[in-house]
């Protein structure tokens, strides 16, 4: 079992490396207005989802146009959410070659104006999730992989008020008139 996990880790790292190459070569899209948002968050994150409701209000995005993808490295747990569009993804759902389940791949095909990478770890699983999203702009945290974010905030996950203030400042400055 340990050998299987090591082999799948190698495959996931190779897939991430390949995706990062093509991702970095893609031209960046300008955002005129934020209409849709996706948020990637670990299932064990203790931050209240009211933070994301507040962010959607700041950016004038209807909560119906916000998709949350909660990931877990272990098992699948369903949490109650005020958001309509919540996807759950676990590491165990990936195939041997690192393919995601159908529900998750369907989300990857959608286009989002903003992707919030609300995790502060360098780990192949959340990075692979993030890099598969189709998003014009990405915001994340300093401790995460800088290659997957356009805007990097030097904050801790629990600094929610500061997260909202800094996000508003930087995201509004990126909008093209």
């Amino acid at each position: 079992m340990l050998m299987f996990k090591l082999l799948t880790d190698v495959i996931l790292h190779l897939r991430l490396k390949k995706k990062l190459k093509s991702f970095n070569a893609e031209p960046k899209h300008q955002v005129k207005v934020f209409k849709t948002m996706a948020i990637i968050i670990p299932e064990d994150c203790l931050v209240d989802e009211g933070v994301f409701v507040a962010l959607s209000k700041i950016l004038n995005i209807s909560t119906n146009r916000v998709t949350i993808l909660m990931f877990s490295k272990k098992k699948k747990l369903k949490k109650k959410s005020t958001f309509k569009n919540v996807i759950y993804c676990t590491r165990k759902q990936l195939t041997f070659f690192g393919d995601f389940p159908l529900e998750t791949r369907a989300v990857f095909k959608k286009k989002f104006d903003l992707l919030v990478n609300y995790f502060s770890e360098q780990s192949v699983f959340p990075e692979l999730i993030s890099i598969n999203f189709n998003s014009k702009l990405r915001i994340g945290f300093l401790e995460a992989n800088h290659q997957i974010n356009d805007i990097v905030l030097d904050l801790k996950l629990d600094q929610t008020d500061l997260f909202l203030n800094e996000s508003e400042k930087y995201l509004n400055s990126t909008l093209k008139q």
Side-chain angles (χ1 to χ4, degrees):
M1 190 64 169
L2 179 62
M3 187 62 145
F4 179 77
K5 184 180 178 336
L6 291 174
L7 193 54
T8 57
D9 282 352
V10 169
I11 291 169
L12 292 180
H13 279 283
L14 291 173
R15 289 193 79 171
L16 177 63
K17 189 174 178 179
K18 183 179 177 183
K19 282 279 208 183
L20 281 171
K21 261 187 183 177
S22 64
F23 175 72
N24 291 330
E26 290 177 9
K28 298 297 178 191
H29 302 284
Q30 292 185 347
V31 181
K32 294 182 181 192
V33 65
F34 294 110
K35 295 180 183 175
T36 57
M37 177 171 58
I39 301 160
I40 302 172
I41 185 169
E43 201 165 39
D44 59 358
C45 184
L46 301 177
V47 172
D48 185 88
E49 71 178 18
V51 171
F52 307 118
V53 172
L55 183 60
S56 67
K57 286 181 183 174
I58 288 169
L59 300 174
N60 294 318
I61 302 173
S62 164
T63 55
N64 290 338
R65 301 188 50 85
V66 174
T67 299
I68 296 190
L69 187 143
M70 286 191 183
F71 69 89
S72 173
K73 295 175 187 165
K74 297 177 182 168
K75 58 183 179 174
K76 188 173 183 176
L77 299 172
K78 298 239 180 188
K79 288 184 173 180
K80 289 187 178 188
S81 177
T82 56
F83 290 96
K84 179 180 167 187
N85 305 315
V86 181
I87 307 297
Y88 301 90
C89 184
T90 67
R91 173 84 187 252
K92 291 183 179 195
Q93 290 177 299
L94 298 183
T95 66
F96 176 75
F97 293 107
D99 293 322
F100 287 89
L102 288 173
E103 180 183 34
T104 308
R105 284 186 291 188
V107 172
F108 293 156
K109 291 179 183 177
K110 295 180 182 178
K111 293 183 181 186
F112 294 94
D113 296 317
L114 176 64
L115 175 63
V116 178
N117 289 314
Y118 209 86
F119 54 90
S120 61
E121 62 180 300
Q122 289 197 16
S123 176
V124 69
F125 183 53
E127 291 171 17
L128 196 56
I129 291 170
S130 176
I131 205 73
N132 275 287
F133 265 90
N134 185 352
S135 176
K136 293 179 184 174
L137 188 65
R138 296 157 181 266
I139 189 169
F141 292 86
L142 184 64
E143 292 89 11
N145 185 340
H146 295 198
Q147 291 180 289
I148 63 172
N149 294 309
D150 301 308
I151 299 170
V152 177
L153 302 174
D154 187 8
L155 307 170
K156 301 291 181 208
L157 294 178
D158 62 355
Q159 294 177 296
T160 55
D161 289 340
L162 195 54
F163 167 76
L164 290 172
N165 291 335
E166 293 297 300
S167 296
E168 180 178 18
K169 179 171 60 175
Y170 286 110
L171 292 172
N172 284 332
S173 72
T174 64
L175 295 177
K176 302 297 179 199
Q177 303 301 327

